[in-house]
Amino acid sequence: MSSVLEDLKLRVWAIIGRGRVKFVDDSGPVQKMQVLMNGIETPDNRYRVPEFGFTSNPPIDSDVIAAHVAGDRSAGAVLGTNHQPSRPKGLQPGETMLYSQDGKSVYLTASGGIVVEAKGQPVTVNDASNVTVNCSGVFKIVAPGGIQFVAPTVTSTGDMQDNVNTNPHSMAQMRTIYNGHKHPVENVQGGSSTIVSDVPNSTE
């Protein structure tokens, strides 16, 4: 009887274990890991069970929590992972962050909105039929390298203005000025002479 209880105790102890990632196979429909559980136990092909809609490839030596069916250490699955060096710290209650090992992140803050940190790397949206941004305030783009549109047309339902620091007029206002301006013509001559006008008397 004591041996049965001892076996039961060992199985209960073995149900949950912790270790470190040593290899990740991310090629199949289920991610598999080699996990160092202790100094002598390094099982292969441990299934990882993440939440639906989220996947990652944890760096080597990430912490893992593994569960073993009926305490059988040969039949386990990884339930959670954590990479201590790259884990963001100091989040406030209710905040969430999606992050990578090199510091890129999408940060859902408690009071500062949503912050995307790209770490100087490209941000790409592929194969979108339409992209719509609805905002209640100003949509601002800061691009020291310029902005390029590869498009047959660029349209706007409102007016447009360039050189806003020095130019007080919108394009619609400049068209009105252009349509109403006149060119003085001096030294008019009759016959078949060709007259070239001077510069406009109103410029924009």
Side-chain angles (χ1 to χ4, degrees), residues 11 14-15 67-73 75-77:
R11 284 182 175 272
I15 289 176
H68 305 92
V69 179
D72 182 359
R73 302 285 276 208

Side-chain angles (χ1 to χ4, degrees), residues 103-126:
K104 294 190 295 293
S105 63
V106 178
Y107 184 18
L108 281 63
T109 74
S111 58
I114 300 173
V115 180
V116 178
E117 175 57 61
K119 286 296 180 181
Q121 300 179 32
V123 177
T124 303
V125 178
N126 285 324

